């Protein structure tokens, strides 16, 4: 088949055979909704690939499904292709559909969550703290917070439960399965990082619905692009 490709902010997607694509990571960094920087960082692509492969191995060890097939080389992983809204299939075949949401998980107060607390958009009680608790940076949340934002809009925005349901197109059991998968995946990834001497206060992931109805992890997760990664005892990235 003729090679079809798509250039993303952090990787290049290439069709391999029907239903199969390669993801080749680049040394160009990307942040939030700003897209790819013109400044490369030597070795970043290999580091991304290393983290992605390790994460998929951790998920598999815990029996958590994903679209990952294998590592091809230092920069490339091979995955099943999932249909993305408003984008043509690269390989001509889909193993399922992409859920057009970003799933955010948080175990500590950092970044945008801390800003929303200070602005009064989120209350400490909403996170499980006693009413009136002063939440400071890095404070451990009483329970993991799972939220959704848009994925395919120009700027990601937080979604209400109703908006999430409308965009996801999932039944109630599917929504429950999706949330459970995010929580289990986040716990598995966090535990793996902790064993290596790091903590991951928050991160994000993306999901798809396989053709047989199973909810699976797609794209990539657990890398320095998706997770806040801090060295234990230093608070430094």
């Amino acid at each position: 088949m003729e090679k079809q490709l798509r250039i993303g902010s952090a990787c290049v997607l290439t069709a391999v055979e029907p239903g199969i694509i390669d993801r080749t990571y680049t040394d160009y960094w990307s942040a939030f909704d700003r897209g790819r920087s013109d400044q490369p960082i030597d070795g970043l692509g290999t580091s991304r690939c290393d983290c992605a492969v390790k994460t998929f191995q951790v998920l598999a060890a815990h029996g958590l499904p994903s679209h990952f097939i294998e590592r091809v080389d230092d920069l490339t992983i091979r995955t099943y292709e999932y249909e993305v809204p408003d984008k043509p299939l690269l390989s001509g075949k889909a193993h399922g559909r992409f859920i057009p949401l970003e799933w955010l998980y948080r175990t500590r107060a950092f970044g945008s969550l801390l800003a929303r607390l200070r602005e009064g958009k989120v209350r400490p009680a909403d996170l499980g703290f006693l009413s009136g608790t002063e939440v400071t940076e890095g404070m451990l949340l009483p329970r993991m917070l799972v939220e959704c934002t848009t994925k395919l809009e120009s700027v990601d925005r937080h979604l209400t439960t109703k908006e999430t349901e409308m965009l996801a197109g999932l039944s109630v059991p599917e929504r429950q399965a999706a949330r459970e998968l995010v929580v289990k995946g986040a716990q598995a990834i966090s535990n793996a990082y902790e064993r290596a001497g790091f903590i991951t206060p928050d991160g994000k992931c993306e999901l798809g619905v396989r053709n047989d109805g199973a909810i699976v992890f797609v794209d990539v997760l657990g890398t320095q692009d998706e997770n806040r990664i801090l060295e234990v005892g230093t608070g430094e990235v």
Side-chain angles (χ1 to χ4, degrees):
M1 63 180 292
E2 182 181 352
K3 291 286 186 181
Q4 299 291 327
L5 60 84
R6 182 182 301 139
I7 299 176
S9 59
C11 67
V12 177
L13 309 181
T14 308
V16 177
E17 60 182 80
I20 308 294
I21 59 175
D22 279 353
R23 295 168 175 264
T24 301
Y25 292 94
T26 72
D27 285 341
Y28 291 94
W29 61 270
S30 174
F32 305 106
D33 303 307
R34 299 177 184 178
R36 195 188 82 164
S37 168
D38 292 330
Q39 177 188 3
I41 299 176
D42 188 43
L44 180 58
T46 299
S47 177
R48 281 173 168 149
C49 195
D50 288 342
C51 289
V53 171
K54 179 62 177 179
T55 295
F56 285 124
Q57 291 172 341
V58 168
L59 296 178
H62 286 77
L64 304 177
S66 75
H67 68 161
F68 178 73
I69 299 175
E70 61 184 351
R71 184 173 196 161
V72 177
D73 56 37
D74 287 349
L75 295 172
T76 307
I77 62 172
R78 184 157 294 165
T79 69
Y80 294 110
E81 183 172 13
Y82 279 63
E83 185 174 11
V84 178
D86 301 324
K87 290 186 179 180
L89 287 171
L90 289 175
S91 70
K93 177 183 176 181
H95 284 263
R97 70 175 180 86
F98 171 75
I99 301 171
L101 301 172
E102 265 193 348
W103 302 76
L104 310 180
Y105 51 88
R106 308 177 189 274
T107 59
R108 293 177 181 269
F110 273 100
S112 62
L113 176 60
L114 192 62
R116 288 155 60 203
L117 279 162
R118 290 170 175 169
E119 293 167 2
K121 295 179 179 179
V122 176
R123 300 171 303 170
D126 297 332
L127 305 175
F129 290 105
L130 292 176
S131 182
T133 299
E134 181 183 357
V135 182
T136 57
E137 184 175 56
M139 186 177 289
L140 186 67
L141 305 183
R143 57 177 179 265
M144 183 184 295
L145 175 66
V146 177
E147 303 178 289
C148 285
T149 68
T150 54
K151 172 61 183 177
L152 303 180
E153 296 181 357
S154 58
V155 177
D156 295 345
R157 59 185 176 86
H158 282 86
L159 298 170
T160 64
T161 299
K162 186 174 182 179
E163 288 175 322
T164 298
E165 293 172 352
M166 291 177 61
L167 282 175
L170 301 175
S171 65
V172 173
E174 286 174 330
R175 291 199 301 274
Q176 293 172 340
R179 189 184 187 285
E180 290 174 4
L181 184 64
V182 171
V183 170
K184 290 178 180 179
Q187 290 173 337
I189 293 168
S190 295
N191 290 342
Y193 268 110
E194 285 180 11
R195 289 193 294 272
F198 299 90
I199 60 173
T200 54
D202 48 42
K204 62 182 181 179
C205 61
E206 295 166 19
L207 305 177
V209 183
R210 208 164 57 196
N211 288 336
D212 64 5
I215 308 294
V216 305
F217 287 108
V218 298
D219 193 54
V220 69
L221 64 161
T223 80
Q224 57 271 59
D225 290 334
E226 286 78 28
N227 283 69
R228 190 186 308 270
I229 303 170
L230 307 176
E231 189 173 0
V232 172
T234 68
E236 298 178 354
V237 177

